[in-house]
Amino acid sequence: ENRPAREAAYQRFYLRTQHLVGKRIFVNLEAILKGWRASGGAIQGELDWGDLDFAHIPVGVLSQVYESFSHRADSRIARDTSVHYTPRTIAELMVEESFAALKNPAAAHVLDPSCGAGIFLVLTFRRLIRERWQHDEERPSTKAIQEILYKQLCGFDVSEPALRLAALALYITAIEVNGTPRPPRALKFPRNLRGEVLHRFGGEDNDAAKGTAFSLGSLGPDVSPDFNGRFDIVIGNPPWTRLREKPREEGEENAVGKSKTDELNKAFTEIGRRVLTSRGFPDLAKKYQNPDKNPDLPFLWRATEWAKQKTETNEAGVIALAMPARLFGRTSGVGFEAWRSVLRSVEVTGLLNCADLRKTAVWEGVDIPACVWFGRNAVPEEDHRFHYATPLYEQRPNERGRFRIDYEAAQSISIARVEQQPWILKTLSLGTWLDIEVMESIMDSSLTTLDDVWLAWDTTGDRTGKGYDKTLNNKQKPADYLSRLLDFRPSPGDFSIDYTSLINYFERYGRRTAYWPKTEHLYQPPLVIIPKAPGDSLHSPKAYLASTALAFSQSYYGYSCHGHPEAPTLASLIYLLAHSTLFRYFALMVSVSQGADHMIFTKQDFDFLPCPDLENLPSKTKSKIRKLAHRLEHDAKKPWDEIDSFIFHLYGLDDDAVQVAKDTLFSAASYRKAGRAALDRTITDTRADFLRTLREELEPYFDVCGEHAEVLEPGKQPDTWREPWFFLTISKKSEEVPFNPSLMREAMKVANQRGVSRIIVHAPGKRGLLLGLLNQRRWWTVTRARLCAQHIIRKHLGAFGLPETE
């Protein structure tokens, strides 16, 4: 009778039940209610395939169905085994590029070692049928189609439901592409695909029943050596999720312990070592460690065993894998050494950095930076180069799951250079070759890093690092000296420290112990305290100068300059660097953490920054460092421009380099709130510097012929112009370039189809050029104007009747 009361009682009952046994009880209750059945360790709902008409449903949807259902039925196992479907756009790109690299694509044998619901197998199946058709010059018969299916395709996976969907997708595709009449008897398949085309490895024997949701699967010993060296193409999207230890959850029988993940990671490492040894790199093999318990890299190593080796009769097999961008994102440590091992032992042919496309419809549900890696199964020559490209975020195409790859903008990079400059790929993903030149100046070999400068006098290294850790659950150590120190807390928005508002450690926490108190040396003045999360605001405090001893927590890094012969100057320099545009730029170019979603300060980035030698600086320069630091700390109006100019010139960088750095900081990381302006459409004011710089850069080449350069905005493109492109005309001052809107619409259409980011049309009669650029502010900076001018000078001076430079 009292419905609200009954509903409230039910809600209290279910909340109490959830508290007692956990949320997973509701998955089981839903399964009972809806009549689901268990399949392959997961709950599977009943589905009548007869209700679906695959003439109108893309087969790739099965992959999305599988991912969605897996995460719904058992989110923990789905997450731990990295169940994520590959978007058709990316899968098609990988398939197209892989087949384009083969001399005899019609005869290709293809493996997907983590096939899931089979999107790569379906796309390669279709491509093989097309290649056979072109080769034989006739449509493949039913027998030929089935021959391709049973003899040229192969897929591995650990999941029974996934393999069933893959089989269904392949059967449907075979029926769909069959050109013969379709009575059921004529389309009967001769054998089951399982055990011949689709193979299950792992799963039941290695799943949660043994304490981990991750199974070695096709990485394990169950895979027959007969598969080695069989495939012309190995393609797929292997698991990405790092192995993590998990405590036992209420209602679960098993926890995932460190010993188990260590055991799995040891197996991952052994795979890499085995491959490196077999390819003639015993020294790399001895040092090789699989980084961070990640399962994706072992699939790359195994792919080199499954793909064909290069011989006198065989070309090297092609490998194409969708992987996390951490593959090449590390610039030091185990991660970089693993990447270096790949560069040395496998012929990388292409690398597509998709970091700027995360959190878009291009790949729904995948928030971490991704990449697509292409290679040939051969040891590269010493001078080997590969192509590198970074598609940039564009709202409208990305919302439709599409993205732009400008092949002309792809960089050709030598593996030797990547080894020598580990930061180069990160820098090119956010900037241009002008940024490489700036970074090379900053990384000048005559300068040593801040870390080297520091360790030259602080040999114990205990005067810098994170602050105290007071975690109560861990064993405490006595810290009498810490308890007496004032405990640092910043005043919001203040650059200086208000000592009168601080209380000591004992007053704050009521104890004289800490889990990790650090040494007393860390807290002595002059002291620079830098927050790990300084915030996005450009003009908020990024560091604090302490003139008295202060305690600070592990939320901060400290640099105590006490005892250094130039202590006040060193502290002031570190304080200025932490606030400088130069360091923000440097960190963005090299940091693993910056340029992702959280702009976290890492001490490693700061310590890696080259640092001027204070001993060799003139006394006037040292005085300027201290005065600027004092003004930044205490003046109401902060000397930001003066600080930037001083710091850049301290590193020997000219005004052009400063402009490059500022333009790249504006253009990069556009997904952040602070960077949204880079994606705004241009207006007359925001294009003005581009036009002026382009004219100035071209003028000397016109001047030698007694002419002047003219760069204009044609009419019919007001500031309300909503097209994705904006056009300029470039000509001699005495000439006029005709502007035809219908021609421009056709040019935009072709440019969008080809994925280019620049349109150049030669006007008839050598009257000049029509230049079209994407209508976002990131393409209209001064730096982009210089690059555009260089391209015109190299390739298009003939369009003005001027002598060519090449």
Side-chain angles (χ1 to χ4, degrees):
E1 295 179 2
N2 190 342
R3 182 167 181 171
R6 288 201 311 274
E7 290 178 348
Y10 278 122
Q11 187 175 30
R12 288 194 299 273
F13 170 77
Y14 285 119
L15 287 172
R16 188 165 59 250
T17 303
Q18 175 182 320
H19 176 73
L20 292 172
V21 300
K23 291 182 179 180
R24 294 187 66 198
I25 182 65
F26 298 110
V27 174
N28 297 313
L29 290 173
E30 185 180 9
I32 294 169
L33 181 67
K34 296 185 177 180
W36 294 353
R37 59 186 175 82
S39 177
I43 300 169
Q44 181 168 313
E46 294 292 342
L47 179 63
D48 186 355
W49 297 105
D51 292 340
L52 305 179
D53 185 353
F54 283 92
H56 303 286
I57 300 176
V59 174
V61 168
L62 292 175
S63 297
Q64 293 170 268
V65 170
Y66 171 62
E67 181 204 10
S68 176
F69 188 79
S70 296
H71 283 272
R72 185 179 174 192
D74 195 327
S75 60
R76 184 178 67 86
I77 290 179
R79 181 181 65 250
D80 294 347
T81 55
S82 198
V83 177
H84 290 292
Y85 83 98
T86 312
R88 190 182 183 96
T89 304
I90 293 175
E92 284 178 338
L93 170 69
M94 293 169 64
V95 170
E96 290 294 317
E97 295 297 319
S98 298
F99 273 88
L102 298 179
K103 292 180 180 178
N104 185 14
H109 290 75
V110 181
L111 168 68
D112 181 349
S114 52
C115 66
I119 187 166
F120 285 103
L121 294 176
V122 168
L123 291 174
T124 54
F125 187 21
R126 290 178 175 275
R127 181 59 183 258
L128 285 167
I129 292 169
R130 190 177 95 188
E131 295 291 345
R132 176 73 70 88
W133 194 334
Q134 291 178 341
H135 180 271
D136 296 346
E137 297 183 347
E138 63 179 12
R139 184 169 189 156
S141 63
T142 301
K143 181 180 178 181
I145 291 170
Q146 293 181 354
E147 184 180 72
I148 293 170
L149 174 60
Y150 284 94
K151 293 185 179 180
Q152 293 180 247
L153 293 176
C154 188
F156 303 157
D157 209 274
V158 299
S159 169
E160 180 66 28
L163 288 172
R164 289 181 181 180
L165 283 173
L168 175 64
L170 289 170
Y171 285 136
I172 291 170
T173 302
I175 293 171
E176 179 187 346
V177 298
N178 200 307
T180 62
R182 301 186 180 186
R185 195 173 301 173
L187 296 177
K188 184 177 180 181
F189 291 88
R191 299 177 301 281
N192 195 319
L193 296 182
R194 295 296 297 277
E196 188 169 351
V197 177
L198 301 173
H199 306 264
R200 186 185 184 198
F201 297 111
E204 292 175 343
D205 295 333
N206 295 297
D207 61 11
K210 281 197 172 183
T212 177
F214 189 88
S215 167
L216 281 175
S218 56
L219 297 177
D222 295 343
V223 182
S224 170
D226 293 342
F227 289 107
N228 290 352
R230 274 183 48 183
F231 300 97
D232 300 280
I233 296 174
V234 180
I235 190 170
N237 175 20
W240 297 4
T241 305
R242 177 191 174 196
L243 306 184
R244 285 185 170 86
E245 296 79 40
K246 301 187 188 306
R248 180 180 299 174
E249 295 181 10
E250 206 162 0
E252 291 186 339
E253 296 182 3
N254 297 290
V256 181
K258 183 176 183 299
S259 61
K260 185 62 181 178
T261 58
D262 285 347
E263 178 187 337
L264 286 166
N265 197 55
K266 184 178 179 181
F268 294 164
T269 294
E270 287 305 315
I271 293 170
R273 290 180 175 178
R274 181 178 72 224
V275 173
L276 287 167
T277 301
S278 70
R279 298 171 91 84
F281 296 94
D283 292 338
L284 287 177
K286 287 178 185 176
K287 296 186 294 183
Y288 180 80
Q289 294 287 335
N290 186 68
D292 301 323
K293 299 186 178 181
N294 294 320
D296 44 274
L297 195 51
F299 275 91
L300 191 156
W301 294 122
R302 284 294 274 137
T304 66
E305 296 183 313
W306 292 318
K308 288 181 178 178
Q309 300 278 352
K310 187 174 183 179
T311 66
E312 291 183 0
T313 56
N314 285 334
E315 62 177 331
V318 173
I319 303 171
L321 298 174
M323 301 182 74
R326 62 175 174 245
L327 168 71
F328 60 90
R330 307 290 177 180
T331 57
S332 61
V334 172
F336 175 69
E337 290 303 318
W339 171 231
R340 190 164 72 95
S341 296
V342 173
L343 290 172
R344 288 274 191 92
S345 61
V346 188
E347 191 178 282
V348 184
T349 56
L351 185 59
L352 191 68
N353 182 358
C354 301
D356 210 31
L357 304 179
R358 67 195 177 285
K359 296 191 175 182
T360 70
V362 172
W363 201 327
E364 291 278 6
V366 174
D367 292 344
I368 67 172
C371 73
V372 181
W373 183 93
F374 296 96
R376 281 193 179 276
N377 196 26
V379 176
E381 302 290 338
E382 286 188 11
D383 59 349
H384 179 69
R385 306 176 73 88
F386 64 91
H387 291 284
Y388 177 72
T390 303
L392 296 180
Y393 173 79
E394 293 182 74
Q395 183 178 1
R396 290 175 64 184
N398 294 166
E399 285 175 348
R400 300 192 296 270
R402 303 181 65 83
F403 56 94
R404 182 187 307 273
I405 301 176
D406 187 346
Y407 287 93
E408 287 191 6
Q411 312 288 346
S412 177
I413 304 174
S414 71
I415 58 174
R417 189 162 188 179
V418 175
E419 286 193 56
Q420 294 163 5
Q421 299 174 326
W423 41 267
I424 191 170
L425 298 180
K426 171 76 182 297
T427 299
L428 283 175
S429 71
L430 298 170
T432 68
W433 279 106
L434 294 181
D435 291 281
I436 300 297
E437 294 174 7
V438 174
M439 284 297 298
E440 286 174 338
S441 297
I442 296 175
M443 304 287 283
D444 189 313
S445 58
S446 65
L447 298 177
T448 56
T449 65
L450 176 60
D451 189 49
D452 292 332
V453 170
W454 196 270
L455 291 177
W457 72 277
D458 178 22
T459 54
T460 60
D462 63 353
R463 296 182 185 274
T464 183
K466 288 190 295 186
Y468 62 77
D469 181 351
K470 61 177 180 59
T471 306
L472 292 175
N473 296 333
N474 295 325
K475 184 178 180 180
Q476 302 292 293
K477 300 173 185 175
D480 285 339
Y481 70 86
L482 186 63
S483 66
R484 296 189 297 269
L485 295 175
L486 291 176
D487 191 48
F488 173 71
R489 290 290 188 278
S491 300
D494 285 353
F495 282 72
S496 57
I497 299 172
D498 181 6
Y499 297 98
T500 62
S501 67
L502 301 181
I503 59 176
N504 66 35
Y505 180 91
F506 179 77
E507 290 175 303
R508 188 177 299 281
Y509 301 115
R511 52 195 170 95
R512 305 178 190 277
T513 62
Y515 162 59
W516 198 4
K518 302 303 184 72
T519 71
E520 192 170 1
H521 294 140
L522 178 61
Y523 307 112
Q524 301 308 305
L527 170 67
V528 185
I529 302 173
I530 305 179
K532 285 184 181 178
D536 282 341
S537 174
L538 299 182
H539 295 152
S540 63
K542 301 294 187 291
Y544 300 88
L545 267 176
S547 57
T548 188
L550 289 181
F552 55 91
S553 74
Q554 62 180 339
S555 297
Y556 301 88
Y557 296 109
Y559 290 84
S560 171
C561 301
H562 185 76
H564 188 274
E566 300 270 8
T569 305
L570 178 59
S572 296
L573 177 61
I574 292 172
Y575 180 67
L576 291 177
L577 286 173
H579 286 95
S580 69
T581 296
L582 183 138
F583 174 65
R584 283 198 302 119
Y585 174 75
F586 176 83
L588 188 65
M589 294 295 99
V590 304
S591 174
V592 173
S593 64
Q594 305 230 358
D597 295 310
H598 303 287
M599 301 300 279
I600 301 298
F601 175 94
T602 67
K603 191 171 184 298
Q604 180 181 355
D605 298 335
F606 202 59
D607 289 344
F608 187 50
L609 177 68
C611 183
D613 185 355
L614 291 180
E615 291 184 8
N616 297 327
L617 292 181
S619 57
K620 184 178 180 180
T621 302
K622 295 177 187 178
S623 176
K624 183 74 175 287
I625 290 172
R626 294 191 295 271
K627 288 178 180 177
L628 279 173
H630 185 272
R631 290 172 57 192
L632 176 60
E633 186 181 9
H634 296 289
D635 288 4
K637 185 177 180 181
K638 307 301 181 184
W640 295 116
D641 291 339
E642 197 172 343
I643 289 170
D644 280 339
S645 177
F646 175 77
I647 293 295
F648 272 105
H649 286 88
L650 189 63
Y651 281 77
L653 298 170
D654 60 17
D655 291 340
D656 285 349
V658 176
Q659 186 69 54
V660 170
K662 290 184 175 180
D663 284 345
T664 299
L665 283 169
F666 170 76
S667 301
S670 56
Y671 51 86
R672 295 170 52 228
K673 290 180 181 178
R676 286 292 174 186
L679 303 178
D680 288 347
R681 294 192 183 277
T682 64
I683 58 174
T684 302
D685 289 346
T686 58
R687 294 188 296 268
D689 286 343
F690 183 98
L691 269 68
R692 174 185 52 78
T693 304
L694 182 58
R695 184 184 301 110
E696 290 173 354
E697 295 287 318
L698 294 175
E699 181 65 20
Y701 295 87
F702 285 73
D703 186 56
V704 295
C705 298
E707 299 284 353
H708 293 284
E710 183 83 283
V711 181
L712 298 173
E713 297 180 0
K716 304 179 183 178
Q717 296 179 116
D719 281 347
T720 55
W721 177 263
R722 304 306 300 166
E723 294 292 343
W725 296 82
F726 193 90
F727 292 89
L728 304 176
T729 60
I730 308 170
S731 66
K732 298 174 184 176
K733 197 127 185 146
S734 57
E735 296 283 359
E736 182 178 347
V737 178
F739 180 74
N740 185 329
S742 61
L743 174 62
M744 291 308 98
R745 281 192 288 272
E746 188 62 30
M748 286 189 283
K749 179 180 177 182
V750 174
N752 289 331
Q753 289 173 345
R754 297 187 178 182
V756 300
S757 54
R758 182 190 294 141
I759 298 172
I760 293 181
V761 179
H762 284 231
K766 296 186 177 182
R767 296 168 66 184
L769 292 176
L770 193 63
L771 171 67
L773 298 175
L774 288 170
N775 193 16
Q776 296 175 350
R777 288 182 62 190
R778 63 158 72 177
W779 299 101
W780 293 80
T781 63
V782 169
T783 299
R784 290 287 177 180
R786 289 177 182 152
L787 288 169
C788 188
Q790 290 175 13
H791 177 77
I792 291 171
I793 291 165
R794 288 196 309 268
K795 303 287 187 182
H796 299 287
L797 286 181
F800 312 102
L802 301 178
E804 299 278 5
T805 58
E806 291 187 357

